[in-house]
Amino acid sequence: MKANGGVHRLPRARSKIQYGCNLEQVADGTLRSLTTPVSRLTVQSMLCFISLILGFQFTREATIFAGNLQHGTVSNTLSSFNFSANIRSGIRSNFAMQISQTLGNGSDVFGTLVRSILPPDPVVSELSKSKKPVVWQHEILVRPWPHPDPLEVMQAYGLISRIQLEQRQIHGIKDWKPIIAITPTFVRAFQALHLTALMHTLSLVPGPVTWIVIEAGGVTNETASLLTQAHVHRLLHLGFVDSITPGLEEQPLLETRLRIEGLRCVQEHKLEGIIVFADESNVHSLEFFNMVQEVNWFGVVSVGMLGHASFGEPMEYDIGALHEGKNEEQGSHQLSGTILRFEPQVQGPVCDSMGKLVGWHTFDGFHLEDRVFKVPDKSHEGRLEWAGFVLNARAVWEAGSDEPVWLDSWLNWTRSSGDKNLPDIRSILRDEKRVKLLGGCGHQVLLWWARMEAHANISYPSNWALDSPLEIVIPARSTPWTDMPKGRPSLPHLPTPSLLEAVTPAPTPSRRKGGNRVRGRDSKLKHSRHRQDPLKGKVTDDRRNPGSSRRS
Amino acid sequence: MTKDRRYGNFSLLTSFGLLLLFLCQQVSLAAVHHQRISGSAGDVLEDNPVGRLKVFVYELPSKYNKKWLEKDPRCLTHMFAAEEFVHDFLLASPVRTMNPEEADWFYTPVYTTCDLTPNGLPLPFKSPRMMRSAISYISTHWPFWNRTEGGDHFFVVPHDFGACFHYQEEKAIERGVLPLLKRSTLVQTFGQNHHVCLKEGSIVVPPYAPPEKMQSRFIPPSTPRSIFVYFRGLFYDVGNDPEGGYYARGARAAVWENFKDNPLFDISTQHPSTYYEDMQRAIFCLCPLGWAPWSPRLVEGVIFGCIPVIIADDIVLPFADAIPWEKIGVFVAEKDVPNLDKILSLISPEEVLEKQRLLANPAMKQAMLFSQPTLPGDAFHQILNGLARKLPHDPQIYLKPGQTVLNWTEGPAGDLKPW
């Protein structure tokens, strides 16, 4: 440290530390100007006295520093700051200050001081108090570029992923059963949106996933191109030759056919694992795949239904009528005799206090209906989404197990394309003992159903790829914003262009007044807006002198 | 002549043998010592103090203890509540003895940090007088104080700077440890090397953190730890340190200025309701010094498995002779704070996993808590273990009758007023 460089010099009256030289220079200068030896003597004695005081202080600092060095504490570096601070504030002359600052900067061991706070003047306090202050103001160390370094960030993320891997190995599920995800799809505008989202979800599942994608209308390149980035254990892209009926009403029918086809594929290939009906537009939480690992034969999960316009609206109930029944509640507001309750839009099993399945809570997303019905009641059946059911693949193909009569009937149904009645997925739940209610009888909602589709006759570039730049712009059919005035939006304080033309005649290019930064005549019209820049206050000038741009 | 030679040989041999034995013992001790620490977070944590020491609890008038609790029950929940809980624990503990003649240690239950402001912060201004008054009480009613002038007594002083009885460091250093406590053992939360307020032989304990509050907020351990560095707290204490540079010796401000836009650092002054849950999702938890070097974040980090990053020079951590803190936490010097991200990202994954394994040791977590009811291995037992490790007492502490060492008139004049 440079400041320590001064330590090595012995404190003598005339040449103390480096700053002492400057004082000496000053002193010499003044000395030379003096003629009488008396004045010389007085100046000399004054200088001697000053250097005595400073030298005394300096030697005290040095001894304390040496003492701290002995103890080997970190505070020695801090005391060195104190030391430089003493120098800084002890000297009152101008260039001595400069020198002390360079000294201070030189004594900076870290070389990273950007912001340094000058401590309060310790010289005066030192002379007044007998004790040395031990609590002092410290520098706040900020490095010159206080921003993240990308390499370090990458290393840190590597560390995080290693730790998470270890966590999974210790606390995660052992013996991960493979997941078989059956996804019906067909080519349409939003297919890219939904399918890539599902693809990323399935790629993140920490275990082997067999993804069966059944496409209506045969295997297409478009879908295949979307599936290229899937990191799944096995991908089966099947085509089901059938005409696509893209209307929203017919979509459940189509999807059911495709799903059943997927089940047939599982039967044919004798795949092992847990079958999950992963619709493309559903949102799956990764914990969902942990939850379904508990399935033995059949499992039922709760599906959160994100409906269309009316979801989230509260319903009013009389307080008296409330004390029966609904076991799930999310929030309620007291409203003088009636209560507003936000009903959860969830499709799932309803259990009694023993944990037995007694009924289903359904929400028909396609028809925006909310119904509850009990198990034996077949007449009032709401549609249940297949996504809420999970089954063991062996149930589909294993000979000797619960013979998949239901699968055969479903396959018959698919072959007869005229039937509009959907097969009931609950027919697989005949044997209640084999049904596992996952997620605490449906209390955990880790899967959400939502249907967002574009207009049926919307046109979009195939593969969502543009080969050539856009040339023709076809205005989309859209509703105009109701709160904006028609026409081009204009700022209130700007004059309209027509007024502009009348107000500003062409200025001569050679005249340039200060402050009236008018450009040449050619640029008048182009830069007319700049001239009217309200920040520069030109508008008022023009209003004052409407006929000329010259200022008087 | 030959006999002498034989004797000489024999004595040489025996001395040589003794030397060898001594050396072996030293080596084996060193080996055992090394093994103990390198074992599962120190096997010393699992020592049982019952039977190794006896503690006599003085019965002081309630103005020293119970009256304070009645006045302000917040004393039982703030971070200095250790003094109350140690008292309750000792009253019911098997190490307590009703016969003071056979006691190894004497405990004086005086609640010096229970004088709270309306905000809940303890005022230490009356504490020296209260302590003096308590000591004069026990010295007049029992002969044991005068026997050793406090050499075999211990006191619990969990306030900011221990027995210096002030919250401002400058004033605390000026006051120094209360002169009457010079010979006693102090159980305190403050620990800093080469500091006036840490007496030789003190036992450093963790600050009190309510165990139920923390243990009810566990999340499943399979939740992936996705936050790299986590911290919630003040960076600048604008009220007491408007210029900056005094609070935390500028270290907390340096953390903020250097890492406020770093995505790896989840640091902020907002206190969220999911504070405990977030700590369980973090890998490193910063434990920088504040006005005093210790903080409850260390306890919280250990309970929730978050590796503590200790930024406090010369700090003495709780139960440092039983817990191998270098193996468990990361120590960063205050001057290295600008390079904190580099330091932390350069730690190898194996080291981090090893630290997490040590933190997962239930003995480690138990040792940081003052659990109610008391459980084996908790902080109370560690205090007793620490006291037991100091036994047997040095015979020099026993004074001859009539001999006095302490000067009862020492200290600032304000302390000498009776309480």
Side-chain angles (χ1 to χ4, degrees):
Chain A
M1 288 193 293
K2 268 199 204 163
N4 273 340
V7 178
H8 299 308
R9 303 210 194 137
L10 290 176
R12 276 184 297 157
R14 295 224 15 128
S15 60
K16 282 273 183 315
I17 311 167
Q18 289 167 12
Y19 67 83
C21 301
N22 277 345
L23 277 181
E24 301 298 329
Q25 284 174 14
V26 172
D28 281 339
T30 52
L31 276 174
R32 266 185 234 111
S33 65
L34 297 169
T35 49
T36 57
V38 175
S39 47
R40 232 182 272 160
L41 212 62
T42 48
V43 171
Q44 194 178 354
S45 52
M46 219 168 56
L47 288 172
C48 180
F49 187 61
I50 290 172
S51 32
L52 253 181
I53 294 176
L54 292 169
F56 177 71
Q57 223 186 73
F58 168 70
T59 44
R60 169 191 281 154
E61 287 290 318
T63 45
I64 290 170
F65 182 74
N68 282 336
L69 263 181
Q70 264 186 354
H71 287 296
T73 59
V74 182
S75 54
N76 56 5
T77 51
L78 299 170
S79 72
S80 74
F81 278 115
N82 203 2
F83 170 77
S84 57
N86 277 339
I87 299 176
R88 261 183 247 155
S89 43
I91 302 155
R92 302 292 169 194
S93 60
N94 271 343
F95 31 82
M97 272 295 264
Q98 288 171 10
I99 292 201
S100 66
Q101 273 184 0
T102 51
L103 256 188
N105 288 340
S107 71
D108 159 30
V109 279
F110 320 116
T112 58
L113 286 182
V114 171
R115 179 177 153 191
S116 79
I117 304 160
L118 287 186
D121 187 1
V123 176
V124 174
S125 53
E126 269 217 61
L127 292 176
S128 60
K129 280 200 291 194
S130 55
K131 265 196 231 169
K132 175 175 137 47
V134 290
V135 172
W136 55 82
Q137 207 171 15
H138 298 258
E139 317 269 2
I140 296 176
L141 303 169
V142 184
R143 61 188 191 203
W145 178 251
H147 298 295
D149 177 51
L151 282 177
E152 282 159 22
V153 174
M154 284 310 299
Q155 267 171 324
Y157 279 120
L159 191 62
I160 293 176
S161 64
R162 174 71 186 88
I163 291 173
Q164 288 187 0
L165 183 70
E166 185 77 17
Q167 269 187 287
R168 260 207 297 276
Q169 281 171 357
I170 298 175
H171 302 288
I173 297 174
K174 319 252 185 302
D175 305 324
W176 190 277
K177 295 178 210 151
I179 305 268
I180 302 168
I182 297 180
T183 305
T185 184
F186 58 97
V187 172
R188 64 196 190 284
F190 274 20
Q191 184 200 26
L193 171 70
H194 297 311
L195 203 57
T196 33
L198 181 62
M199 180 182 75
H200 286 124
T201 308
L202 291 176
S203 304
L204 284 174
V205 172
V209 171
T210 303
W211 194 13
I212 305 176
V213 179
I214 307 115
E215 192 175 352
V219 174
T220 60
N221 283 339
E222 194 166 330
T223 317
S225 65
L226 284 172
L227 295 174
T228 46
Q229 293 196 18
H231 293 293
V232 288
H233 184 68
R234 190 170 169 191
L235 175 64
L236 290 169
H237 185 186
L238 310 173
F240 188 62
V241 181
D242 196 21
S243 59
I244 305 172
T245 46
L248 205 61
E249 294 291 318
E250 289 85 16
Q251 207 172 342
L253 210 63
L254 178 68
E255 284 175 3
T256 312
R257 300 177 101 117
L258 298 174
R259 286 189 202 115
I260 293 169
E261 185 61 30
L263 287 176
R264 193 195 60 75
C265 171
V266 171
Q267 190 185 44
E268 182 185 313
H269 294 271
K270 288 197 167 8
L271 297 174
E272 292 236 10
I274 298 174
I275 298 177
V276 165
F277 294 106
D279 296 342
E280 332 173 75
S281 50
N282 286 1
V283 179
H284 306 84
S285 158
L286 285 179
E287 281 185 46
F288 168 72
F289 297 101
N290 291 351
M291 188 167 76
V292 301
Q293 294 289 318
E294 297 162 26
V295 161
N296 288 325
W297 287 108
F298 304 105
V300 178
V301 296
S302 279
V303 183
M305 310 293 278
L306 305 174
H308 290 276
S310 65
F311 92 98
E313 272 199 35
M315 312 224 290
E316 262 190 82
Y317 290 93
D318 270 333
I319 300 178
L322 262 187
H323 291 294
E324 51 208 349
K326 313 272 175 125
N327 41 359
E328 289 163 48
E329 49 183 282
Q330 307 227 353
S332 51
H333 292 273
Q334 285 287 97
L335 259 194
S336 68
T338 54
I339 284 187
L340 284 181
R341 286 181 73 172
F342 295 87
E343 287 294 326
Q345 269 88 43
V346 169
Q347 169 201 297
V350 177
C351 302
D352 60 5
S353 53
M354 307 274 284
K356 262 182 45 158
L357 182 67
V358 293
W360 300 94
H361 192 194
T362 77
F363 185 88
D364 194 344
F366 283 103
H367 297 108
L368 306 176
E369 281 171 11
D370 190 10
R371 286 187 186 148
V372 180
F373 63 97
K374 292 210 185 303
V375 168
D377 187 357
K378 293 265 179 202
S379 61
H380 214 25
E381 284 168 21
R383 245 176 13 89
L384 285 176
E385 282 297 326
W386 285 50
F389 294 87
V390 178
L391 37 136
N392 192 340
R394 282 178 178 259
V396 175
W397 52 263
E398 199 172 55
S401 72
D402 191 22
E403 183 61 35
V405 181
W406 38 271
L407 184 59
D408 284 337
S409 68
W410 289 352
L411 287 168
N412 287 336
W413 176 85
T414 53
R415 287 183 207 114
S416 66
S417 45
D419 197 353
K420 296 285 180 189
N421 289 326
L422 289 174
D424 187 8
I425 181 138
R426 277 165 296 142
S427 54
I428 63 175
L429 305 178
R430 272 176 320 174
D431 188 0
E432 283 211 8
K433 288 193 202 64
R434 302 174 106 196
V435 172
K436 200 150 182 164
L437 301 163
L438 297 173
C441 185
H443 279 257
Q444 278 184 314
V445 177
L446 297 171
L447 171 63
W448 293 270
W449 177 97
R451 278 287 181 266
M452 277 181 299
E453 293 299 338
H455 236 285
N457 50 0
I458 198 173
S459 64
Y460 69 99
S462 73
N463 282 18
W464 283 103
L466 293 173
D467 294 327
S468 55
L470 291 169
E471 285 169 13
I472 302 171
V473 177
I474 303 168
R477 279 189 300 145
S478 60
T479 43
W481 294 106
T482 48
D483 51 352
M484 274 282 275
K486 289 216 169 64
R488 203 172 43 165
S490 54
L491 296 168
H493 56 275
L494 284 179
T496 53
S498 53
L499 182 59
L500 234 143
E501 254 114 320
V503 154
T504 56
T508 52
S510 57
R511 304 258 173 123
R512 271 206 189 183
K513 301 269 161 97
N516 198 6
R517 277 178 257 147
V518 174
R519 297 211 174 87
R521 185 189 179 151
D522 297 330
S523 56
K524 174 182 73 96
L525 285 172
K526 270 190 241 164
H527 295 285
S528 56
R529 273 194 191 268
H530 288 285
R531 286 200 60 232
Q532 302 306 318
D533 190 349
L535 288 175
K536 298 194 174 107
K538 293 286 169 26
V539 178
T540 51
D541 288 339
D542 283 322
R543 283 205 200 119
R544 247 192 298 135
N545 306 317
S548 92
S549 59
R550 282 184 247 164
R551 285 228 224 119
S552 49
Chain B
M1 199 58 162
T2 49
K3 252 197 185 170
D4 287 342
R5 276 193 75 183
R6 237 184 289 151
Y7 276 137
N9 281 344
F10 182 70
S11 59
L12 199 68
L13 270 172
T14 46
S15 57
F16 189 67
L18 280 171
L19 189 71
L20 255 181
L21 207 68
F22 174 73
L23 276 172
C24 285
Q25 195 190 32
Q26 288 290 36
V27 166
S28 66
L29 261 180
V32 164
H33 195 61
H34 178 70
Q35 250 174 20
R36 276 176 112 190
I37 284 189
S38 71
S40 57
D43 302 331
V44 184
L45 286 180
E46 284 146 35
D47 283 350
N48 190 0
V50 176
R52 292 169 63 198
L53 79 165
K54 293 219 174 292
V55 177
F56 177 73
V57 181
Y58 286 121
E59 286 247 357
L60 289 184
S62 63
K63 71 168 181 170
Y64 291 105
N65 32 48
K66 292 208 185 39
K67 277 264 172 59
W68 287 109
L69 275 188
E70 281 157 27
K71 245 192 342 184
D72 200 340
R74 283 180 301 180
C75 288
L76 287 173
T77 48
H78 67 177
M79 51 185 175
F80 308 109
E83 54 185 11
E84 286 86 24
F85 288 113
V86 168
H87 185 199
D88 289 337
F89 164 74
L90 284 174
L91 286 175
S93 165
V95 304
R96 182 191 184 190
T97 169
M98 307 305 248
N99 177 11
E101 297 294 337
E102 62 168 9
D104 300 306
W105 288 100
F106 295 85
Y107 172 62
T108 318
V110 49
Y111 299 168
T112 49
T113 39
C114 210
D115 184 11
L116 302 183
T117 63
N119 274 346
L121 299 170
L123 288 173
F125 303 119
K126 289 200 213 137
S127 310
R129 290 163 54 202
M130 193 157 69
M131 188 62 88
R132 274 181 71 92
S133 158
I135 294 175
S136 66
Y137 186 89
I138 59 174
S139 62
T140 46
H141 287 77
W142 288 276
F144 307 104
W145 176 267
N146 294 328
R147 204 168 58 169
T148 57
E149 294 241 296
D152 52 359
H153 288 59
F154 72 94
F155 296 84
V156 179
V157 281
H159 195 240
D160 281 344
F161 289 97
C164 293
F165 292 123
H166 210 280
Y167 50 83
Q168 273 186 355
E169 188 170 4
E170 210 172 330
K171 298 229 172 57
I173 295 173
E174 252 183 76
R175 298 181 55 94
V177 171
L178 195 71
L180 289 178
L181 297 175
K182 255 199 321 212
R183 292 165 60 86
S184 320
T185 298
L186 298 173
V187 177
Q188 57 188 56
T189 49
F190 172 75
Q192 188 172 329
N193 276 325
H194 313 294
H195 198 280
V196 175
C197 296
L198 180 67
K199 214 169 71 73
E200 180 78 42
S202 302
I203 298 176
V204 180
V205 296
Y208 176 74
E212 327 75 38
K213 199 164 115 180
M214 294 199 289
Q215 282 163 342
S216 60
R217 304 271 287 271
F218 279 125
I219 60 176
S222 55
T223 315
R225 286 189 187 261
S226 46
I227 302 176
F228 193 62
V229 175
Y230 188 76
F231 175 76
R232 288 289 186 272
L234 288 178
F235 297 102
Y236 294 95
D237 188 352
V238 189
N240 297 319
D241 175 27
E243 288 173 16
Y246 288 99
Y247 180 56
R249 296 200 274 263
R252 286 195 184 198
V255 168
W256 175 251
E257 296 298 338
N258 281 298
F259 303 115
K260 59 188 175 204
D261 64 350
N262 196 318
L264 298 170
F265 282 67
D266 186 354
I267 56 178
S268 143
T269 49
Q270 305 284 340
H271 188 94
S273 53
T274 52
Y275 178 59
Y276 291 142
E277 288 80 0
D278 289 341
M279 275 192 136
Q280 293 171 72
R281 291 193 306 118
I283 299 175
F284 292 106
C285 287
L286 293 184
C287 303
L289 72 162
W291 287 112
W294 56 270
S295 86
R297 283 179 189 87
L298 185 71
V299 178
E300 289 159 357
V302 169
I303 301 291
F304 294 125
C306 182
I307 299 173
V309 178
I310 294 149
I311 308 171
D313 291 340
D314 293 328
I315 190 173
V316 175
L317 290 172
F319 307 129
D321 48 352
I323 298 176
W325 286 107
E326 311 77 38
K327 293 194 178 187
I328 292 170
V330 178
F331 287 83
V332 177
E334 285 167 33
K335 63 176 172 63
D336 290 331
V337 164
N339 297 324
L340 189 61
D341 56 348
K342 194 195 296 277
I343 295 171
L344 291 180
S345 58
L346 284 178
I347 303 180
S348 67
E350 292 75 33
E351 218 180 300
V352 173
L353 289 173
E354 178 65 30
K355 287 184 199 282
Q356 286 189 329
R357 264 176 239 135
L358 284 173
L359 276 173
N361 188 0
M364 184 65 216
K365 294 192 208 273
Q366 200 68 269
M368 289 282 114
L369 287 176
F370 292 92
S371 26
Q372 266 88 46
T374 182
L375 295 167
D378 63 5
F380 300 116
H381 289 95
Q382 303 307 328
I383 297 175
L384 292 180
N385 280 336
L387 289 170
R389 280 196 286 273
K390 297 180 87 176
L391 291 175
H393 289 297
D394 186 359
Q396 285 182 1
I397 64 167
Y398 294 101
L399 304 173
K400 301 186 195 43
Q403 182 189 6
T404 48
V405 178
L406 293 178
N407 182 359
W408 281 73
T409 53
E410 205 180 326
D415 286 358
L416 302 177
K417 287 190 241 164
W419 184 77

